[in-house]
Amino acid sequence: MNRGLNFILSLIMAVTMFIPFKDYFIEYKSRIEKISITLKQKKDMDFQFFYTQKSTEYFSGKGLISKKSFANPDGFEVIEIDLKDISDIHSFRLDFGSYPEDFFIKEIALINEDKKVIKLNEVLNFPMNHIESKEIIDGDLRLISNQVDPFIVFSDEKIGSYRNKGFIYTKSVLMLLFLFILSNFLLNLFDKRGARD
């Protein structure tokens, strides 16, 4: 087998073997520059955003951003949380003050290079605290709480797919190089055995 054909076949074999494992070389970019929440509520709210930067961390005051959200029963308000100075967000928690009663969420979006809108029907299955009722009405998420500490937790496993994907290029190239060398070796081995026969 000539070198040119050997090279082409080795390359095809390497790519073919790489494809089933490509997901192992994809990572989610956890850099979130901003989170926006489009909200409507009957009462003023001391809105709080808690975040963790590692899987071993718990939500605490050191990872806390507070915002005042005012009653707007006739329209939605956009609350924006600026995260440009935070290097990584592993998980976050949205706290809706105390005794907020009846309130609606129209949109929750993660913003970095582009805007990723979290599906509200998925939020229904996220961990919640002191939320007495939850349902989708006309495309909006309606929540009811008459308790002191209602919140929703957005864990890494829940929000990972909404981040931008990126290949881990160094590992990908090294893996492809290894598969190419392996393919080339196997082709040469079969070629030598064929020549002997």
Side-chain angles (χ1 to χ4, degrees):
M1 187 184 300
N2 63 58
R3 289 184 179 180
L5 181 58
N6 189 297
F7 177 86
I8 293 170
L9 289 175
S10 298
L11 186 60
I12 292 172
M13 288 174 64
V15 171
T16 303
M17 287 188 286
F18 178 81
I19 288 173
F21 302 100
K22 69 181 188 313
D23 288 344
Y24 292 100
F25 299 92
I26 291 176
E27 66 177 353
Y28 294 108
K29 296 178 181 178
S30 56
R31 178 73 177 178
I32 302 171
E33 295 182 357
K34 186 187 296 183
I35 292 179
S36 71
I37 304 98
T38 307
L39 188 70
K40 177 170 71 174
Q41 75 270 8
K42 295 178 179 178
K43 300 168 62 177
D44 290 354
M45 181 187 295
D46 292 318
F47 181 86
Q48 293 182 317
F49 174 86
F50 288 88
Y51 64 89
T52 65
Q53 294 178 281
K54 297 177 182 177
S55 59
T56 54
E57 287 183 349
Y58 295 95
F59 295 111
S60 65
K62 71 174 185 178
L64 169 63
I65 300 171
S66 297
K67 291 272 187 175
K68 187 72 175 180
S69 178
F70 297 100
N72 52 349
D74 299 322
F76 284 88
E77 173 190 8
V78 178
I79 301 171
E80 293 189 339
I81 310 295
D82 190 350
L83 303 173
K84 289 179 182 177
D85 295 330
I86 301 171
S87 60
D88 184 35
I89 296 290
H90 179 267
S91 60
F92 65 89
R93 192 178 97 186
L94 301 182
D95 284 43
F96 303 98
S98 298
Y99 311 104
E101 297 180 3
D102 198 0
F103 60 102
F104 292 81
I105 297 174
K106 180 176 283 293
E107 181 183 270
I108 301 170
L110 311 180
I111 300 168
N112 41 31
E113 288 87 355
D114 55 10
K115 181 178 179 180
K116 305 275 187 176
V117 178
I118 298 177
K119 297 174 184 176
L120 295 177
N121 61 336
E122 293 182 4
V123 177
L124 287 171
N125 299 315
F126 288 9
M128 297 187 185
N129 182 64
H130 289 173
I131 301 290
E132 296 152 20
S133 176
K134 53 184 180 179
E135 59 182 331
I136 302 291
I137 299 178
D138 297 329
D140 302 328
L141 175 59
R142 182 193 185 194
L143 301 170
I144 298 176
S145 175
N146 291 294
Q147 300 192 56
V148 69
D149 190 25
F151 61 74
I152 305 174
V153 175
F154 297 73
S155 61
D156 185 69
E157 62 182 18
K158 297 291 186 182
I159 63 173
S161 61
Y162 288 94
R163 297 176 181 150
N164 287 345
K165 291 182 179 180
F167 263 107
I168 307 173
Y169 288 103
T170 304
K171 290 182 179 179
S172 300
V173 170
L174 289 174
M175 185 61 171
L176 277 169
L177 182 60
F178 168 76
L179 292 173
F180 177 81
I181 293 170
L182 178 63
S183 300
N184 191 269
F185 171 77
L186 291 173
L187 284 173
N188 284 327
L189 185 65
F190 292 142
D191 196 36
K192 287 177 181 178
R193 285 188 176 181
R196 287 175 186 173
D197 296 338

